[in-house]
Each structure stands twice: as structure tokens, then as C-alpha cells.
Amino acid sequence: MRLRPGLVTDYRADAGIFKSVTQRIWFGLLLAAAVFLGAGGAIGPIRISSDIMVLLAYAMFASIGALGLNIVTGMAGQVSLGHAFFLGLGAYTAAILGGVEQTRQAMDPVTGQQVTEVVLRGYGLDMIIWLPLAGIIAALAGLIVAPVATRLRGLYLAFVTLGLVFLGEHIFREARTLTGGAGNGRPTAEYRLFGFRFDQDGEVFGIWMSKQQKLFFLGLILLLVMGLAAKNLFRSRVGRALAAIRDRDIAAEMMGIPLGRYKLIAFTISSFYAGIAGALFWAVVGRLTAEGFNFLLSIKYIAMILIGGVATVSGSIMGAFFITFLPKVVEGLAGLPGLSHIISKDPAGMINTFQFEQILFGLFIVGFLILEPMGLYGIWIRVRNYWKGWPFSY
Amino acid sequence: MRARRLHEVLPHGGEPGNVILEVDDIHLSFAGVKAVDGISFKVHTNELFAIIGPNGAGKTSIFNCVSGFYHPQRGSVRYEGRELLGMRPDRIADLGIARTFQNIELFPQMTVLDNLMLGRHQHLKYGTLAALVRAGRASREEARNREVVEGLVEFLGLQPVRKSYVAMLPYGLQKRVELGRALAMAPRLLMLDEPVAGMNLEETEDMARFINDIRWELGIGIILVEHEMRMVMDLADTVLAVDFGRPIAVGTPAEIQNNPDVIRAYLGEEHGTAPAGGGAE
């Protein structure tokens, strides 16, 4: 028997995700807690209201998107403001493939006969098809955009990717039979996997679950899978190559790393994550409008990785949860007796909740950049190190 | 456990005396300023070839021409018989040419281990999809290459700082890590750009020992650009002196030390003392 259970004795274990038994146990506990909370009243006494449950699902879908942005911006250092475009591409791909076709009767102007006209395309396909394809289509778009990144860097790349958002918004508005056109929008994909409905309440393995609970577990499983893949990527030769490009691209090239190829890989994988996240997220929202995929959405994702922690998997997740729950917190603040005069839920109030949220948003980004560039992840590390040595200071 | 020797970790440079690099009459100018003006030389396997010259003489420019970072207007650079001019820097590195930089170009936000593992990039044989899944092959390759890297960690005495971020290390150690990163590429030609610049006596001695060990254990070709004359004269087989991008003299250290043109380049027209022992700073 080994007397020191934490002793690492081979290189494979040294490169592992969990560095110690303690970490493994804590992660297990966290996961168990998530399952326990998610299953709600069925196996435990705690019941989470369905609007919090759906926010949790949203947060997990957003985490996947944030992971994507962290791969290209955090890991490879290529600042992309075009994330909203890739999210939108995923959402629309899913809606077209998994949505229902809408038709209307119209008079053919030439023959004068009644014909069926397609107002909105939709193929009503299963989730097993629309979800991967949403990722793949977005990834292909990333593949096309990536060569730009091999020519431009820093601010110039940020501007070009910003242009992508406006281009995307325009396409989403104008391709009417696909997107429903400006102001109208279209219904999204149906959450149906081999006949199993995520968007309806029902029994799962003999346990009754609300649709929010089902989505929560879907999010949890997908986040685990995609989080693991991202973690693997970060500690592989590809991840190191991306980090090298971020730190010093010229030296990286002289160490044998083809810059163009790796920027391409970063954009493609990042867009794949964005596509998946977009498809999942808006399929819960239920309605897609072109205006949703604007610059503000890109900024929101930038905020997630800045606040969460740049180039870390857990940071992406923390950031996504933080930003997703921010409106809820603001809403709570508006309800407090002292603050309700200043922050009003009425859109015409002095500062309405939406505006207050925007202010907080900006404050958090600036605050984290100045005070804790490592984000929530950095705070977590410091708290952990404090308790490691407690009650001694080191 | 016995510390591994370098030749147990890295491949040998091959038959000594073969021409590995042949630079033939390269010319490089930037908007009329001639940085390299007709430089030619040959480097063999198991040879330590030094390039010396006053500041701004074009020594680093020669390195950059070989690395593919600068594109000379004329001339040719052949490595193992293959023309390098026009090749991308990453392709040149793939062929087995590694280098260090005058002003350390490590990846500061990566650990020492990750910097060295990055040097193994071309030896890690698995693709992006395998990286995402990290089952079987990827995991095996990582472990196998980590063993090589650990051999270098031992050789360079970097054990205590293995997992430190490079940005946190003192200058002398950073220089050592950079040497390790270049070695990790298992090069057949190693180019060292001022490896002891700014180092104290002890650090210089350490570095000189590392360079000597690499040379005698691996038998690869080494090009050394350095101002520390004592080290150059002690270690080098052949020395090339350059000034204003032009070659002044080439020969053994003893020949160079007594060459009047070299003395003039270093000390100016009036003086007649030998430069041996003194730095050029």
C-alpha cells in the first residue's frame, strides 16, 4: 500500500486533470450536488423553482459557448468579436433542420391556381441530426473566416470579426424563408431525441421530471462532455501550440508551429462550440429573431471569459453562470426596499433593471480587468490557497 | 536513479565532419542599409562554429536568414543539401534546426515543462481530434515525449522549477530553459544567439559546460553568436568574424585572435592590442 496517496508516480498521472484525490472527491461531490439539485423533489427535499432551473440550463448552454470563445480568444489570443455570428449560425441551422415547415395558400399570379407556398423552411429532423450539424455548419464558417486571422492581429482582427456580426445580422434579417425576416423571427428546433421530448414534462427512468429539469440534465451532460474535450485540448500539443501563438507568435513559428494552420484549428473548434451552444440555447428560448445576434451578445461572451477567467475551462463555466444569473440578481435588487426607488422594474423608470444590468456589466468588466485579471478563477485559486494553509498565512 | 546522459535522451548528430549547413554569399538589405553583405560559411556535424563581431555587425541577421524570418535578396542557404531560402520558418524548424534568441523569447505564460514540451511539438505524433479525446495514442505520445523532456530537465538542472511559470524565473534560468526548449526539438543544427549575454561568471561557466556537453555528447552542428570572447576562444572550432555585414576573417580561434583586421574592427584603427579575453561591450 502506498503511504502517500497523493504521490504522483508516472507522467500520465502528472498530466491528469485531477492532481490529487482531494480534487477528485470535490469534483465528485459537486457533480453529485448538481444531480441532487437537478432531480429536485424526486430524490431530495430541495425543490428548485422552474425559472431558476431553466436559468441553470441556460447557464450551462452559455458555458459551452464561453468555452468556444475561450479557445480562440483566451487560448490562442485571437480576439474575436464575431462570436454572436457563430452562435446565430448554430441557432438558425438548428431551427431550419429541426423546426416545423410553415406554408400558406397563395394564388399563383400566372396560372391563377391555388398553390402552397413555403413561408418558412423547416425539416422537422431529430435532435441527433440538428445538434451536430449546427456545430458543423458554424465550424465550416469558422474555417472560412480563419484565413483572415492569419493576416491580421490584435485590434484589426477584432474589427474584422465585428464586421462579421453585422454581416450575420443582415443575412439573418434578409433570408426570409429561412429566418422569418426582420422583426418576425421564426420558431426554433424541437427538442426531440429519438422520440424523447425535452420540451415536455414526463417520466425519465421512472422519475417524474419537468421539462426544465430535463433540460438541466441535458445541459449538464453536454457541458461535461464538451468541457472535458476543451480541457483535453488545453493540455495537448494543440493547446500548447495555441498558447505559444498567443504569447509570442514569431518564436512559435520558429519552433515549428505553422501559425495559419493553428489559427484555423482554433477558429474551427471555437465556432463548433458556438454553434452547439447557439442551437441549444435558442431552442429553449423558442423564438429566433435576427436582432438577438448583435454586437451586445458578442460583448456578453467576452465578459463571460474575462470575468470567469481567460484560458481556463472552469473560468469559462463560472463566467457563463455569473453573466446568466446577473439579470436575476438585478431583479432581486430592484425588489429591495431601499433600492426600489433607484432601480425600477418599470421600463420608464429612472434606471430600469435592464439599464442597471448594463451598468453592472461594464463595472464588472473594468473591475475584473484592473483588480483580478485572472477572473473568478483567480479568486477561487486564492481562496483555495488561503484555506490550504489555514490557520497559517502560508 | 542514475542521472541520464544527454545522448541517452536525444539522437546523435551523425557522421562527424559532414557539411550540414552551407551559407553561400547571402546579401540582405533593409531600404538601402546592408545588414548582411556577402557572407559565406560552412558548418559541419560535430563542429562548434562561432560568429563574432561588434554590435550591429549583422550576426543575428545571419541567424534570421537561416531561420527563414528574414529573406535575403541574394545567395543561398543549404541545409543537408536542401535549399532553405523561401521556406516558412516552421518548415525550417521541422527539418531539425533549432535556435535560441538574444532577448529571451520564451512563452512567459506557460510553465517550464510546457515550454519544453512545446519544443517537442513536431515529435508528438497525434492530431487535433485525438487531442480532444485524449485516449490511447495521444496520452501515450505525451508520456513518451515527457520522458525526453524530463531527461533535459535533469541535464539542465531545472528540476526545482519544472512547474514554475517562466515569467517568474530569474534571467539566468530563463536562458537555460530556452536552451532546453531548443534542445527538445532534437535538432541536428543548433543556433545559439548570445547564450551568456548579461550573465555573471558562474552562470557563464554553467552555460559553457552545457554547450560543451551538447557538442561532445550529441555531435550536432552548433553555431554560436557571442560577445564573451573567452568562451568563444575556448569552445569554438572555427570562428567567423564579421563587421558591417561583411566577413573579415575566418579560421581557428588562435588565427582570429591574431588577425590584424579583427583587432582593427574591435578596437579601431589606432590600437594594436589583441581582443582576446575582453568583451566587445
Side-chain angles (χ1 to χ4, degrees):
Chain A
M1 198 195 105
R2 232 186 279 160
L3 293 174
R4 287 187 57 192
L7 189 68
V8 175
T9 51
D10 67 295
Y11 296 142
R12 221 170 278 210
D14 196 41
I17 293 174
F18 300 110
K19 299 278 182 261
S20 65
V21 182
T22 331
Q23 268 182 330
R24 216 177 278 264
I25 291 171
W26 276 111
F27 184 76
L29 284 177
L30 184 72
L31 210 59
V35 172
F36 190 72
L37 289 177
I43 55 170
I46 305 157
R47 185 172 275 281
I48 294 176
S49 70
S50 57
D51 61 329
I52 293 282
M53 193 63 93
V54 82
L55 268 184
L56 285 167
Y58 274 143
M60 283 188 278
F61 298 153
S63 299
I64 295 174
L67 277 172
L69 187 62
N70 231 338
I71 289 169
V72 76
T73 300
M75 204 66 198
Q78 310 298 307
V79 177
S80 166
L81 292 176
H83 214 57
F85 170 69
F86 297 112
L87 287 162
L89 217 53
Y92 277 110
T93 306
I96 292 159
L97 291 173
V100 198
E101 188 171 68
Q102 286 180 11
T103 53
R104 71 167 178 212
Q105 296 296 316
M107 183 93 77
D108 191 312
V110 183
T111 59
Q113 282 173 327
Q114 284 283 337
V115 287
T116 317
E117 196 185 1
V118 177
V119 181
L120 265 182
R121 288 203 185 281
Y123 297 94
L125 294 168
D126 196 272
M127 193 176 151
I128 196 76
I129 295 169
W130 64 250
L131 186 60
L133 272 175
I136 290 166
I137 296 285
L140 285 177
L143 196 71
I144 296 165
V145 172
V148 175
T150 62
R151 306 254 166 221
L152 302 172
R153 56 215 294 211
L155 271 181
Y156 299 99
L157 179 64
F159 278 126
V160 170
T161 49
L162 175 60
L164 213 56
V165 174
F166 292 102
L167 193 74
E169 250 190 295
H170 182 73
I171 295 170
F172 297 151
R173 257 201 299 269
E174 296 305 319
R176 276 165 209 281
T177 52
L178 296 178
T179 66
N184 279 325
R186 66 164 295 156
T188 52
E190 283 182 351
Y191 259 120
R192 180 166 44 77
L193 183 68
F194 300 125
F196 179 83
R197 302 294 301 241
F198 284 98
D199 50 357
Q200 287 167 5
D201 301 348
E203 279 201 358
V204 186
F205 302 124
I207 301 169
W208 190 89
M209 277 194 188
S210 67
K211 60 181 179 187
Q212 289 86 357
Q213 281 174 301
K214 286 180 177 179
L215 290 170
F216 173 90
F217 280 109
L218 177 71
L220 187 64
I221 291 166
L222 286 174
L223 179 57
L224 275 177
V225 172
M226 299 198 76
L228 178 69
K231 188 89 189 168
N232 284 341
L233 187 76
F234 283 9
R235 62 200 176 108
S236 72
R237 73 192 279 268
V238 181
R240 281 191 295 266
L242 296 182
I245 292 172
R246 172 195 65 201
D247 283 1
R248 285 180 201 276
D249 53 352
I250 289 166
E253 200 177 13
M254 288 197 217
M255 306 275 64
I257 290 157
L259 300 185
R261 192 183 142 81
Y262 277 92
K263 285 180 182 175
L264 202 79
I265 290 173
F267 265 96
T268 309
I269 297 179
S270 160
S271 313
F272 181 83
Y273 273 73
I276 296 278
L280 289 168
F281 196 100
W282 273 274
V284 183
V285 175
R287 193 143 197 97
L288 268 178
T289 49
E291 290 73 24
F293 300 99
N294 55 11
F295 177 50
L296 198 64
L297 185 65
S298 286
I299 293 294
K300 222 170 176 174
Y301 274 84
I302 294 274
M304 282 181 200
I305 65 168
L306 282 181
I307 291 173
V310 172
T312 58
V313 170
S314 43
S316 315
I317 297 170
M318 286 190 268
F321 272 77
F322 188 92
I323 295 294
T324 310
F325 278 91
L326 191 61
K328 193 79 190 162
V329 174
V330 172
E331 206 177 286
L333 283 177
L336 292 177
L339 284 168
S340 57
H341 300 292
I342 308 167
I343 316 162
S344 100
K345 284 182 182 174
D346 178 10
M350 185 168 79
I351 303 175
N352 63 39
T353 47
F354 178 73
Q355 285 166 330
F356 187 70
E357 196 191 311
Q358 300 298 306
I359 294 169
L360 274 186
F361 219 69
L363 283 179
F364 275 122
I365 294 180
V366 174
F368 269 101
L369 277 179
I370 294 171
L371 301 171
E372 183 54 275
M374 294 275 287
L376 292 170
Y377 176 78
I379 293 177
W380 157 242
I381 293 291
R382 268 194 287 150
V383 168
R384 198 179 68 181
N385 288 347
Y386 175 80
W387 287 108
K388 244 184 197 170
W390 190 85
F392 307 106
S393 55
Y394 55 85
Chain B
M1 195 170 60
R2 186 179 63 93
R4 276 166 293 183
R5 303 302 302 270
L6 200 51
H7 62 81
E8 295 170 37
V9 179
L10 295 176
H12 194 267
E15 194 68 35
N18 287 348
V19 175
I20 187 162
L21 185 80
E22 198 177 350
V23 173
D24 190 19
D25 194 31
I26 52 170
H27 293 257
L28 173 77
S29 56
F30 299 103
V33 178
K34 285 177 177 165
V36 179
D37 191 9
I39 297 278
S40 306
F41 61 89
K42 278 181 190 169
V43 182
H44 305 81
T45 41
N46 197 27
E47 181 185 16
L48 206 155
F49 188 91
I51 303 177
I52 62 166
N55 285 328
K59 305 180 296 293
T60 301
S61 294
I62 297 174
F63 271 19
N64 284 339
C65 289
V66 177
S67 290
F69 184 52
Y70 287 165
H71 307 286
Q73 282 87 6
R74 249 172 64 199
S76 90
V77 178
R78 272 189 305 280
Y79 168 77
E80 294 179 336
R82 203 190 301 216
E83 180 62 52
L84 294 186
L85 293 193
M87 251 190 223
R88 282 204 322 260
D90 59 275
R91 290 285 307 121
I92 293 173
D94 276 351
L95 294 176
I97 299 180
R99 67 174 288 185
T100 65
F101 301 84
Q102 191 175 346
N103 307 307
I104 304 168
E105 297 277 349
L106 287 166
F107 307 111
Q109 292 179 61
M110 289 161 72
T111 62
V112 170
L113 265 182
D114 278 344
N115 267 280
L116 296 184
M117 283 298 276
L118 187 102
R120 297 299 295 172
H121 185 79
Q122 51 188 312
H123 302 278
L124 282 154
K125 305 260 182 256
Y126 64 91
T128 308
L129 283 179
L132 286 162
V133 181
R134 204 192 176 93
R137 188 184 177 80
S139 172
R140 255 197 326 274
E141 282 283 294
E142 286 282 326
R144 192 175 62 80
N145 281 281
R146 173 74 187 275
E147 223 156 293
V148 177
V149 162
E150 285 296 334
L152 292 173
V153 166
E154 276 174 38
F155 170 65
L156 296 168
L158 293 170
Q159 294 95 332
V161 293
R162 238 195 222 106
K163 292 193 174 170
S164 308
Y165 285 91
V166 161
M168 317 271 244
L169 298 181
Y171 176 81
L173 272 184
Q174 290 195 6
K175 279 275 190 195
R176 220 187 274 183
V177 176
E178 206 186 23
L179 176 65
R181 186 182 64 178
L183 276 179
M185 294 167 72
R188 291 190 296 281
L189 178 67
L190 179 64
M191 305 197 290
L192 304 172
D193 199 350
E194 300 200 19
V196 299
M199 283 188 170
N200 66 26
L201 192 64
E202 279 168 45
E203 290 170 329
T204 305
E205 295 280 305
D206 280 343
M207 191 54 87
R209 186 168 58 81
F210 291 137
I211 294 171
N212 222 12
D213 282 354
I214 294 165
R215 190 246 150 108
W216 292 113
E217 285 192 43
L218 295 182
I220 57 176
I222 301 174
I223 312 178
L224 173 71
V225 161
E226 189 48 68
H227 279 308
E228 166 60 43
M229 283 307 143
R230 263 178 300 195
M231 187 168 108
V232 171
M233 296 307 162
D234 284 350
L235 296 183
D237 298 302
T238 317
V239 180
L240 167 72
V242 291
D243 196 14
F244 296 110
R246 281 188 298 274
I248 308 174
V250 64
T252 62
E255 288 165 8
I256 292 294
Q257 261 168 311
N258 299 313
N259 186 305
D261 290 332
V262 176
I263 297 166
R264 203 173 304 125
Y266 269 92
L267 299 171
E269 293 290 341
E270 305 296 318
H271 304 275
T273 5
E281 300 292 333

